[in-house]
Amino acid sequence: MSVKVTNERHAASLLNINKSLTDLRDKLKILYDQLVRWRATAEFQVTDKENRVSEEEMRRKALKKAYSVFQAAKKIFQGDPVANQIYDQTLEYLADDAGQMLGEMEDFNRLANKLMTNMDLETGPSTTKPSSNCQSSSKSFCRRR
C-alpha cells in the first residue's frame, strides 16, 4: 500500500475519532448542564430541609418552654400537699388564736360591765368580788400579750 492510501485511512480514522469525540463532548456538555441543575436543586432541597429542621427545633423549644410554664401553673393550682397542710394548719392556728383573743376581750368586757353595774358613783364599789375577778382576768389578758 502506498503512503497516500495509508494517510487517507489514517485521516478517515482521525475524522471518525474526531466526530465520535465531538458527539461525546456534546453529550458530556448536556450531562454537565444537567448535573449543574441537579446540584442547584439538591442545594435547594438541603437548604429547605435545614430550614424545616430549624423551624421544628424552634417549635420544640417554644413548646418545651410553654409546657414548663404549664407544669408550674398546674403545680400552683394543684398545690403541694405539704405546703397545703402547713397553710391549713397556719390558718387554723390563726383562727384559734384570734378566737381566744376575742373571747378574752369579751370576758373582760362582761366583767367591766358587771363592775360598772354594781358600782355606785358616790360610794364606790358595792362588793369586792368583781374587783378580784377583774384582776384575775386582766392577768390572763396581760399574759396573752
Side-chain angles (χ1 to χ4, degrees), residues 28-42:
L28 288 176
K29 174 117 174 73
I30 292 169
L31 182 61
Y32 177 77
D33 291 342
Q34 284 179 338
L35 288 173
V36 168
R37 285 193 304 266
W38 290 349
R39 178 180 174 200
T41 302

Side-chain angles (χ1 to χ4, degrees), residues 1 4 9-10 17 38 41 47 51-52 57 63 79 84 99 118 121 127 132 134 138 142-143:
M1 288 206 204
K4 187 176 178 187
R9 286 184 186 174
H10 186 62
I17 292 173
W38 290 349
T41 302
T47 303
N51 289 341
R52 279 196 247 161
E57 286 174 344
L63 180 63
N84 285 344
N118 291 334
L121 290 177
T127 64
S132 66
C134 180
S138 67
C142 291
R143 268 187 259 133

Side-chain angles (χ1 to χ4, degrees), residues 8-76:
E8 283 178 7
R9 286 184 186 174
H10 186 62
S13 175
L14 287 175
L15 286 175
N16 280 341
I17 292 173
N18 194 25
K19 184 180 180 214
S20 174
L21 288 176
T22 303
D23 289 342
L24 180 62
R25 183 197 67 197
D26 292 342
K27 288 178 184 179
L28 288 176
K29 174 117 174 73
I30 292 169
L31 182 61
Y32 177 77
D33 291 342
Q34 284 179 338
L35 288 173
V36 168
R37 285 193 304 266
W38 290 349
R39 178 180 174 200
T41 302
E43 286 176 351
F44 172 77
Q45 287 180 351
V46 167
T47 303
D48 185 52
K49 288 184 188 216
E50 286 173 347
N51 289 341
R52 279 196 247 161
V53 167
S54 177
E55 179 184 352
E56 288 302 318
E57 286 174 344
M58 288 188 285
R59 283 182 190 210
R60 174 76 174 154
K61 192 175 183 180
L63 180 63
K64 284 177 78 174
K65 286 197 183 260
Y67 189 74
S68 173
V69 170
F70 164 74
Q71 289 291 80
K74 186 175 164 185
K75 283 182 183 178
I76 289 170

